[in-house]
Amino acid sequence: MRRGAVRALRRGVAAMVVAALVLAPWTVDDYTVALLARTLALGLVAVSVALLTGVAGLPTLGQTAPYAAGAYASAVVGSHLSDVGLVHLAVAAAAGAALAAVTVPLVVSARGVVLLMITLAVGELAVTVVGRWRSVTGGTDGLAGVAASRPLWGLPVLATDRARYLYTLVVVAALVGVVLLVLRTRVGLLLRAGRDDEARLRAGGHRVAVHVAGVHVAAGAVAGAAGSLLVVAQQFVSPADFGFDTSALLLLGVVIGGTASVGGALVGAALVVAARDWLFGVLPGQAPLVLGLAFVAAVYLLPDGGRRPPVRGRLLPTVPARRPAPESPTPTGVRA
Amino acid sequence: MTAVAAGIRFDPYVVPALDGVAYGLLVFVAAAGLVLCFGVAGILNLAHGTLYAIGGYTAAALLDGGWPSLALALAVGVVAATASGALVAGLLTRLAARSHLTQALLTFGVALAGGSLLVSAFGPDDPPVRLPAALDGSVAVAGHRYAAYRLVFIVVAALLAGLLHLVVRRTRAGMLVRAAVDDAEMVAVLGVSPARIRVGVLAAAGALAGAAGVLGAPIIGPGPDTADAVLLLSLVVVVLGGLGSMAGTLLAALAVGQIQTLGVALAPSAAPFLLFAAMAAVLAVRARGLATARRAT
């Protein structure tokens, strides 16, 4: 009964948020609409972070890498090959997935702090490459004047902030819908199982390494698509969009939203990005200081987003924590 | 001109290679602190680059071209960075039971606030660093002109690395730190508080970063981007070095030093990708080495 009421309340709030997002371009000024479009793009990256961090239990600070790959791929294709948004999205998702696939060997066997460290290194390296690869990315000056795109063949170009926002909203809604649907299938169940008890899943004959690689590439594709949306939203892209602070902001947003919830990640990221943009507006110069203190405060005040519910503790007698036993080959012979 | 007339010339290989050694040793001293934090406390200290920047700014502010100022800068920089490391440890103490995610976010917040304070205290421009006159010139090395300071730095950094090795391997403190990595509970049973070890390790990591910042100021100078750049380089060498091994980190740091200097000198167009390529190459050769790294959670 109470659970039902909570669910109804959550659905009501979600419906109101969606309605507000759809109506936003007719109720607020163009500047805010453009800002909202950018926030939506970042929200989609947050969804990819939530997919890895919350659902699969693979904390990441490196989703800015596929995000940047998608953005630059989209901008280059948009300038030279095609002005069709769907093509940009496909290219961007492919670029994000490809970058994620290249880094799979790095991440597949790492967990916890090690994974945070490796993903952060990959993300930072990617931004360094972007900043130095002048001939393609325009270096630290970025790529300006990206041509306006049209959503599909035959449709008009997205000429106004409102049109760009609505395009972003539709794409984000569609992709989030796909992610949510996929997570409701067996795939989602297996990912959560791997997060909660990897050893048991492996003992059951499942190939955890394949799951990890799969979700990493899929999250890369989602982040890459978000990169394409960023280019559409601001018609400009530069390394500043993919800095270290963006990774950390996304992670904070996801932690605020509740790591395991895809919708929560979107809302959390939106809140954090909105707070940052507002801070930079009202406190020019002092914003990083306040933002840093806000980070510290948020960590102290928030419930621990990274901790998992103690499912095992209730089902099995508690065993004092020990170092993990040396890993032995599993029935399938896979060592993740 | 006189040097050229005397037969001393610049060389496209030897000078960058020597630079690479200096750069690599600097990255090692900076990254060693990160290895300590990570290996002992299981903490990804994202404020580590900021601790280096504290040392760098201290050097820029205090160095006036004389020897006493160098000693003073070293003392002040190390003390300030040590205190900052201890402050981070203090903030983390109450979060000890929390996940690594919250610890990463907290240290990032500290990095953001600390970086902002440094920029507002020292200004947004990269300040110049004034070395003692005796170190500011160049000397002849095997027929090549080379910056005197970098040679001295190579010697000092090598001594620091050796000292670190001795402390970790031969002293009681080092023994406790290594024991805490393997079994914190057993160390606690021996009557040594693991929490105190954590604070000590984070403070020691701060000292290393501060020393690297002061001594490395003429090589990777202080500025608004310094903290991020040093953190990135440290992360890359820690990952390349096999996550937790000091010897591996030293090897990786020297390799990264060569890549960054020799690579830029010999193949400027490929230089941006060389670090990526190095990471991929190391993994291709010894993916098992990385895969079998200790899992800190």
Side-chain angles (χ1 to χ4, degrees):
Chain A
M1 185 61 198
R2 234 183 94 204
R3 190 174 287 179
V6 168
R7 188 175 294 170
L9 187 70
R10 276 174 62 177
R11 285 199 178 146
V13 170
M16 273 160 60
V17 170
V18 170
L21 283 173
V22 172
L23 293 176
W26 288 275
T27 48
V28 295
D29 59 300
D30 278 357
Y31 174 74
T32 313
V33 169
L35 212 64
L36 275 176
R38 252 177 50 203
T39 307
L40 276 176
L42 266 171
L44 192 57
V45 190
V47 167
S48 83
V49 175
L51 201 57
L52 286 169
T53 303
V55 177
L58 306 164
T60 176
L61 275 166
Q63 282 307 94
T64 43
Y67 180 43
Y72 280 99
S74 179
V76 169
V77 167
S79 306
H80 297 297
L81 286 175
S82 162
D83 65 350
V84 178
L86 192 65
V87 174
H88 299 174
L89 269 178
V91 169
L99 188 69
V102 171
T103 53
V104 156
L106 273 169
V107 302
V108 78
S109 55
R111 301 287 182 275
V113 196
V114 177
L115 191 58
L116 276 175
M117 210 168 211
I118 291 176
T119 52
L120 180 58
V122 168
E124 289 284 281
L125 272 178
V127 178
T128 309
V129 168
V130 161
R132 297 220 192 122
W133 197 5
R134 254 167 219 294
S135 53
V136 172
T137 64
T140 45
D141 298 334
L143 291 175
V146 179
S149 57
R150 56 186 87 238
L152 286 170
W153 294 270
L155 289 179
V157 292
L158 302 165
T160 62
D161 284 325
R162 187 184 293 171
R164 286 190 281 270
Y165 168 80
L166 288 175
Y167 167 77
T168 310
L169 183 62
V170 168
V171 174
V172 169
L175 288 176
V176 171
V178 170
V179 168
L180 287 175
L181 279 180
V182 170
L183 286 182
R184 290 180 77 134
T185 64
R186 213 172 107 84
V187 173
L189 205 61
L190 283 173
L191 287 177
R192 291 195 174 89
R195 171 196 67 192
D196 291 340
D197 195 340
E198 193 177 321
R200 189 181 286 183
L201 191 66
R202 202 180 284 135
H206 290 280
R207 306 215 267 170
V208 174
V210 174
H211 301 176
V212 169
V215 73
H216 191 249
V217 171
V222 172
S228 172
L229 294 180
L230 177 79
V231 174
V232 169
Q234 61 184 23
Q235 296 180 295
F236 170 76
V237 59
S238 84
D241 293 314
F242 312 106
F244 173 32
D245 51 341
T246 309
S247 309
L249 273 176
L250 284 170
L251 195 56
L252 183 67
V254 170
V255 170
I256 287 179
T259 44
S261 149
V262 168
L266 258 174
V267 174
L271 280 177
V272 173
V273 171
R276 177 194 60 177
D277 290 345
W278 173 75
L279 271 177
F280 273 90
V282 291
L283 289 170
Q286 294 303 313
L289 177 63
V290 179
L291 201 60
L293 296 177
F295 255 83
V296 175
V299 169
Y300 271 96
L301 297 176
L302 280 171
D304 187 4
R307 193 162 49 196
R308 293 155 205 162
V311 180
R312 256 187 298 174
R314 270 185 279 125
L315 296 178
L316 294 171
T318 324
V319 180
R322 281 278 174 272
R323 276 167 293 145
E327 283 168 352
S328 51
T330 57
T332 52
V334 171
R335 212 209 71 78
Chain B
M1 288 309 281
T2 50
V4 173
I8 296 171
R9 63 204 156 80
F10 288 98
D11 186 282
Y13 306 110
V14 174
V15 169
L18 259 183
D19 265 349
V21 174
Y23 198 85
L25 282 173
L26 173 58
V27 172
F28 170 72
V29 178
L34 206 61
V35 176
L36 277 182
C37 287
F38 168 73
V40 179
I43 288 166
L44 173 53
N45 184 6
L46 297 178
H48 195 70
T50 312
L51 300 179
Y52 176 96
I54 289 175
Y57 276 116
T58 308
L62 294 183
L63 287 181
D64 60 3
W67 289 100
S69 70
L70 182 59
L72 181 69
L74 199 52
V76 172
V78 168
V79 168
T82 307
S84 308
L87 174 76
V88 173
L91 283 172
L92 283 170
T93 304
R94 294 187 50 197
L95 303 176
R98 297 276 201 98
S99 70
H100 40 258
L101 266 184
T102 51
Q103 294 174 346
L105 288 174
L106 180 100
T107 53
F108 174 72
V110 172
L112 210 54
S116 172
L117 286 176
L118 284 175
V119 168
S120 50
F122 293 99
D125 303 318
D126 294 6
V129 177
R130 286 173 297 275
L131 283 171
L135 296 176
D136 211 8
S138 59
V139 291
V141 182
H144 304 291
R145 285 169 62 78
Y146 192 68
Y149 181 75
R150 297 198 173 205
L151 275 187
V152 175
F153 178 84
I154 288 174
V155 174
V156 173
L159 285 176
L160 259 178
L163 186 69
L164 184 66
H165 176 80
L166 281 181
V167 168
V168 171
R169 285 284 144 196
R170 294 266 184 264
T171 64
R172 183 179 154 78
M175 189 189 71
L176 285 173
V177 163
R178 281 182 292 133
V181 176
D182 288 335
D183 198 334
E185 284 172 47
M186 189 53 78
V187 174
V189 170
L190 292 175
V192 181
S193 148
R196 211 180 271 177
I197 292 182
R198 284 161 63 104
V199 173
V201 161
L202 267 102
L208 278 169
V214 174
L215 295 172
I219 298 170
I220 303 180
D225 300 329
T226 308
D228 275 6
V230 170
L231 181 67
L232 166 68
L233 284 168
S234 305
L235 277 171
V236 169
V237 301
V238 171
V239 170
L240 279 178
L243 296 149
S245 146
M246 277 290 172
T249 306
L250 176 61
L251 207 64
L254 289 172
V256 165
Q258 293 304 329
I259 289 168
Q260 291 288 77
T261 54
L262 214 51
V264 169
L266 299 182
S269 56
F273 311 100
L274 286 175
L275 269 183
F276 247 136
M279 262 177 115
V282 165
L283 283 167
V285 176
R286 44 162 291 178
R288 297 288 293 184
L290 273 179
T292 50
R294 186 172 47 252
R295 273 185 198 168
T297 45

